[in-house]
Amino acid sequence: PYYRSNGIDWKKAAWERLGTAEWMEEFRRLIVQAEELAATETEKQRVALWRSAIWEWMRQGRDHQQK
């Protein structure tokens, strides 16, 4: 649930604090940098997993939030 009994609107908090355009751009730059720096197959797999599991979820959420 987005609203908890303590009164915090977690969805609003997430997109007003963590999912701002500035933070999303910083996260994007960091994932690109991580992809460039990944040297071993394990590192490449970890970065790819982060991209698919976290980054894409965040990006889709941000896109949905803007509509």
Side-chain angles (χ1 to χ4, degrees), residues 6-58:
N6 60 6
I8 296 173
D9 178 349
W10 291 104
K11 183 177 180 181
K12 182 178 178 183
W15 294 114
E16 288 184 0
R17 301 286 184 186
L18 301 173
T20 64
E22 295 81 15
W23 273 112
M24 293 296 289
E25 178 57 24
E26 178 68 12
F27 290 145
R28 186 198 64 75
R29 283 195 305 267
L30 289 171
I31 193 67
V32 168
Q33 182 181 18
E35 288 170 332
E36 292 170 354
L37 294 172
T40 68
E41 191 57 37
T42 299
E43 290 170 346
K44 291 175 185 179
Q45 288 174 354
R46 288 176 180 163
V47 173
L49 179 61
W50 195 91
R51 177 183 272 285
S52 66
I54 305 297
W55 174 246
E56 288 303 319
W57 175 74
M58 290 173 62

